[in-house]
Every structure is written in C-alpha cells, then in structure tokens.
Amino acid sequence: MIALTLAEIASAVDGTLHLEGTDATTDTVVDGAVTTDSREVGAGDVFFAKRGEFDDGHRFAPAAVEQGAALLVVEHALELPVPQVIVADSVDALGALATEVVRRVRARGRLRIVGVTGSNGKTTTKNLLREILTAQGDTVASRKSFNNEVGGPITALELTDDTEFLVAEMGASAVGEIARLVRMAHPDIGIVLKVGLAHAGEFGGIEQTVRAKSEMVTELTADEVAVLNADDPRVASMSGVTAARVVWFGLGERADVRATELVVHARGTEFTITAPGGASARVRFGVLGEHHVMNALAATAAALELGVPLPAIVEALESVRLAERWRMEVMGGRDDVTVINDAYNASPDSMAAALKTLAQVQEPGTRTIAVLGEMSELGEFSGEEHDRIGLLAVRLGISQLVVVGAGARRLHITAVNEGSWDGESAYVEGADEAFDLVTSIARPGDTVLVKSSNAAGLRLLGDRLGEWFA
C-alpha cells in the first residue's frame, strides 16, 4: 500500500482512531500490505477484522498483532497494544480505503485501469493481461480469483507510487456488486467477456445476469473504452448502454480484434490474430482449448488500446503455458495418458467448451474419458443444463463418461437415455470411486478430462489422477 498516516487512513474510512496504550501518533505512517487473513500478516501490515458467515475476524486480531500488524481496522475497540481504527463496517471500510488509494495514485497521472468481467474467462484474461503488461511497466493484478467486495479492494491496495497498470477482475453474484467495484477503481478500459448461466441461480435469471455484467461499461465515458465480445449477443447489446468507444473482439467478421485459422491440439491452440489496421500474426498459444482464444483476443484488444505493439503481445501470449491452476491444466504422460484438470469451476458454457476441446484433441485410435461433477449455482436451470451436457457428451462421441456425485446424476441419466446404453456412462458417488474406476479402465493413449464446479472438489481428483499417470 502507498504510505498513509494513521489520520489519513481514519479519514478515508470514516473511522475513529484509537491510540491508547500505543506509542503511535496521528502522523505515524503505515505502508504495509492489507489483508483480512491473520495468517498472511507480516511486520507493518494492516489487518481488517471482517465478520464472516461462520466466523468473526476480531477473534484473530491478537494473532495478527503477534505477527507484527501495525494497524487494526475493527468494528469495536480491542484491548490490544496497537493502533486501531474503529468503523461501522469493516468491509465497507476496506472498499473506502481502496477507493482513496486508487484516487491518490491516479492523481499522479501514470495509472491506467483495466476492469475484466464475464460469466467465464475472467481469471484467464486477467492473467494474460498481467503477462502482457508486466513487460511494459509496473503492474498490479488480482491474485487468484480475488474479484469480490473483499478481493477487489485488497488488490487495489497493492498499488504503489510506481504502478502503471491495474488489472482488476470484477465478479458478482448479485446486481450492484460490479458497480461497487467500478466505483472503487473506475476502469479506463472495461472488458466484458461472456454472459452465461454461471451463478444464474444467485442472480435470479439470465436477464439479471446481463444487467449485472453491464455495470462494467454503463459508467464509462466517451474518453474510455468498452472491449466487448462481438460473438455473444448479450454482450454485444451492451454497446447500447455505454457512452464509451467500443472495441469488438471475436471470431466473426464484425470483430476489430479477430482470430482465424484456429487449430486445436493437445499442446495448445494456434491461430492467426488480426488487429485494427490489418496487422496480423500467427500465435502458438500454449493454453489448451479454443475457448481460451477468446480470452486472448480480449486481452489483446485491451493491450492494443494501452499502446502495446502487437509483436510484444504475441510474445507474451506465447510465453503462457497455463491459464491458472486447475484450469485446463495438462498433467500425466505415463503410457501416453493425458489428464486435463479443469475442475476449478464449471458453468454450462465452460463445461461444453471443455468437452469440445476433449473431442478436438483426440488422436485417431485413442479414447476420451470425461470425469464430470456438478455444475453448481444454477438454480432452476440446473436440471435442464445438466441434461444438455449429457446430450452433448454423447453427441461429441466421448468414449467414456464418469459422472461423480448426486448433484450431477441427472447428467448420467440423460447420457444413458441418449445412447450410452452399454456402460459408456458410469455413475459413482464420490471422488475415490471415480479414481478407482478411471485408473482401472484407462488405456495407453487415453485423454482424461476432469471438470466440475469448485464445490464438487474434483480438482483434487484431477491432481491425484495427474500424479498417478505422471
């Protein structure tokens, strides 16, 4: 975090400074990292005691002090020998401090902010942009999937006086949440990747999802840029609710930044990228899956708007071999068995994309095995979307389905009804059974995909299979 006095921090968060029992003054400067996790606290850091659904961060404040916290932001005073700022709501205070830090860094004239949202692909696109922009200047980007009302501010608070680029992943499970993050770190460039049924159950339907994602661009001005997916009608419609200049990305002719001549194989994806003005280049993209090409196009469009030359963008894209841990992560190799662990999360769109990739990378004479778990947070759409994936798996000719857990059982039933009558689809209750089944049936040359929502926990099964076939 940039250096601020205790008085400045208290003012930014509309809190009351509590210094009793300490040697600090209102002019004491704090410039450490900010966290809500006491286990991450180091000397000089700021600890926000956040109340959670199942626990209360105030319980861990003593541990934060023992580890060297220089300041606590709390909702009531604690008997601890460290400066404290007392606020009404620690999460609101976290956002307020981030807003002030962004304002101060931006006022120095160097900072450019890119916001990234969408039902799928946020983390991959953010990581690609980080790789591209780090070579151009000091860059801060969200860690992991830090994209909510806590993770967003913590990312923004990593800014320093030297930061030139902030890449902010902005997620939501309700209308208004992206708008809150946009107000905290207003983007110069806002990217909307895709609108699908991910979290549709929480949003209350697809139209509410569209409304929530459009918050990325509705407050952009005519001097700013909206990077929109030309191939997604719901995203494309957002051009009508923004004053920003629109830059399109996609596979179709409408796109300003476009990919053609796609070739998908087990080592990644190759494509030709065309930029505005006609410049083009062949990209050998090490991230597996045609769907990740769209993320690469979005990152490219934003980077071009920030003045990065196309050759430098291509070099950065080609240096990336993994989008993120547990996202189309290629493992295995023994007996030529490939394991693709894509079980960090799953929506109907990403599940379909992963299955299509599995079918595309299949070599003649080999088999494909899809180990699939539940797609969570779909609400009323859950049944029909699991049906759709079961049908797709059969129609793509996936050699063997292994469906894991009661939440995904309907997918198995649909696959059986569609045509998997001779054991091509198997249902098991848990990950241990799935491991035993896959290791018993896998043959040399097979490709195994593991895909589910995070809550289903199959990413650990993917790791286990990857290690078994290493």
Side-chain angles (χ1 to χ4, degrees):
M1 185 180 72
I2 63 173
L4 295 171
T5 67
L6 291 175
E8 288 173 325
I9 293 172
S11 175
V13 302
D14 194 24
T16 302
L17 189 58
H18 180 84
L19 299 176
E20 286 81 352
T22 75
D23 296 329
T25 70
T26 56
D27 293 327
T28 297
V29 173
V30 176
D31 62 358
V34 176
T35 183
T36 61
D37 187 339
S38 62
R39 297 167 296 183
E40 295 182 352
V41 172
D45 289 351
V46 180
F47 175 68
F48 275 72
K50 179 179 74 72
R51 296 181 188 275
E53 184 178 356
F54 303 108
D55 216 330
D56 184 348
H58 294 79
R59 288 202 313 116
F60 304 99
V65 173
E66 287 179 9
Q67 292 177 209
L71 174 65
L72 305 178
V73 179
V74 294
E75 295 177 4
H76 55 81
L78 302 173
E79 293 185 9
L80 293 169
V82 67
Q84 300 171 45
V85 174
I86 303 166
V87 297
D89 184 295
S90 60
V91 174
D92 289 345
L94 183 66
L97 182 59
T99 301
E100 176 64 10
V101 166
V102 171
R103 185 191 69 79
R104 289 180 179 233
V105 176
R106 193 189 274 284
R108 295 177 179 124
R110 300 178 67 186
L111 181 65
R112 304 290 299 280
I113 298 175
V114 182
V116 183
T117 197
S119 298
N120 307 107
K122 295 184 293 296
T123 300
T124 299
T125 303
K126 174 261 298 180
N127 288 345
L128 295 175
L129 263 174
R130 177 180 58 202
E131 191 71 22
I132 294 167
L133 296 177
T134 296
Q136 308 299 315
D138 189 274
T139 301
V140 170
S142 309
R143 286 179 282 148
K144 301 179 182 178
S145 294
F146 278 23
N147 61 24
N148 62 8
E149 74 278 6
V150 174
I154 286 176
T155 298
L157 288 165
E158 294 179 10
L159 295 176
T160 70
D161 292 327
D162 297 323
T163 304
E164 295 183 45
F165 304 107
L166 169 61
V167 185
E169 183 179 337
M170 298 183 180
S173 57
V175 171
E177 292 181 3
I178 292 174
R180 176 177 180 168
L181 295 171
V182 165
R183 288 192 295 270
M184 179 194 74
H186 186 87
D188 299 284
I189 300 172
I191 300 173
V192 186
L193 298 165
K194 189 174 184 62
V195 173
L197 286 174
H199 311 294
E202 293 180 318
F203 280 112
I206 193 67
E207 295 308 317
Q208 290 294 88
T209 306
V210 174
R211 180 182 168 195
K213 300 302 182 185
S214 68
E215 291 169 4
M216 174 61 74
V217 299
T218 51
E219 298 304 317
L220 297 183
T221 70
D223 295 326
E224 293 159 345
V225 178
V227 175
L228 302 180
N229 184 345
D231 298 346
D232 185 325
R234 296 186 181 105
V235 175
S237 71
M238 296 178 191
S239 64
V241 297
T242 184
R245 176 168 57 86
V246 174
V247 174
W248 301 102
F249 70 92
L251 305 181
E253 294 184 359
R254 180 185 188 182
D256 301 301
V257 179
R258 182 182 174 204
T260 57
E261 302 172 321
L262 275 69
V263 178
V264 180
H265 48 69
R267 298 175 303 281
T269 311
E270 296 182 22
F271 59 96
T272 297
I273 193 166
T274 303
S280 65
R282 190 68 178 166
V283 182
R284 291 167 180 81
F285 192 39
V287 179
L288 182 63
E290 182 179 311
H291 52 296
H292 284 306
V293 171
M294 295 296 284
N295 303 326
L297 293 176
T300 297
L304 289 169
E305 289 298 319
L306 292 170
V308 184
L310 183 60
I313 294 171
V314 172
E315 182 180 359
L317 292 176
E318 292 188 335
S319 73
V320 177
R321 290 291 176 266
L322 178 64
E324 180 77 4
R325 184 85 164 90
W326 300 308
R327 287 179 169 89
M328 299 303 284
E329 184 175 2
V330 179
M331 310 169 75
R334 178 169 56 85
D335 296 329
D336 201 26
V337 173
T338 300
V339 177
I340 303 170
N341 192 354
D342 193 34
Y344 183 81
N345 223 329
S347 67
D349 288 330
S350 68
M351 185 76 85
L355 284 172
K356 289 174 183 176
T357 299
L358 179 63
Q360 287 173 323
V361 302
Q362 182 180 10
E363 297 289 344
T366 66
R367 301 187 313 158
T368 51
I369 302 173
V371 184
L372 307 181
E374 180 181 9
M375 300 178 290
S376 59
E377 300 176 350
L378 294 178
E380 64 180 293
F381 304 102
S382 179
E384 63 188 75
E385 290 303 319
H386 282 88
D387 287 345
R388 188 168 70 87
I389 295 301
L391 293 172
L392 178 64
V394 174
R395 292 169 184 175
L396 286 172
I398 303 303
S399 308
Q400 178 69 55
L401 274 179
V402 178
V403 180
V404 187
R409 190 167 186 272
R410 184 162 166 174
L411 190 161
H412 163 68
I413 294 170
T414 301
V416 170
N417 291 339
E418 177 66 10
S420 294
W421 300 314
D422 194 25
E424 294 94 344
S425 183
Y427 171 76
V428 296
E429 291 288 346
D432 288 343
E433 293 172 80
F435 176 82
D436 291 341
L437 178 56
V438 172
T439 54
S440 69
I441 65 175
R443 303 172 188 166
D446 284 355
T447 302
V448 181
L449 168 71
V450 183
K451 180 72 173 171
S452 74
S453 286
N454 197 11
L458 295 195
R459 65 193 187 283
L460 302 180
L461 170 63
D463 285 346
R464 191 177 172 192
L465 287 169
E467 292 168 4
W468 178 265
F469 290 108

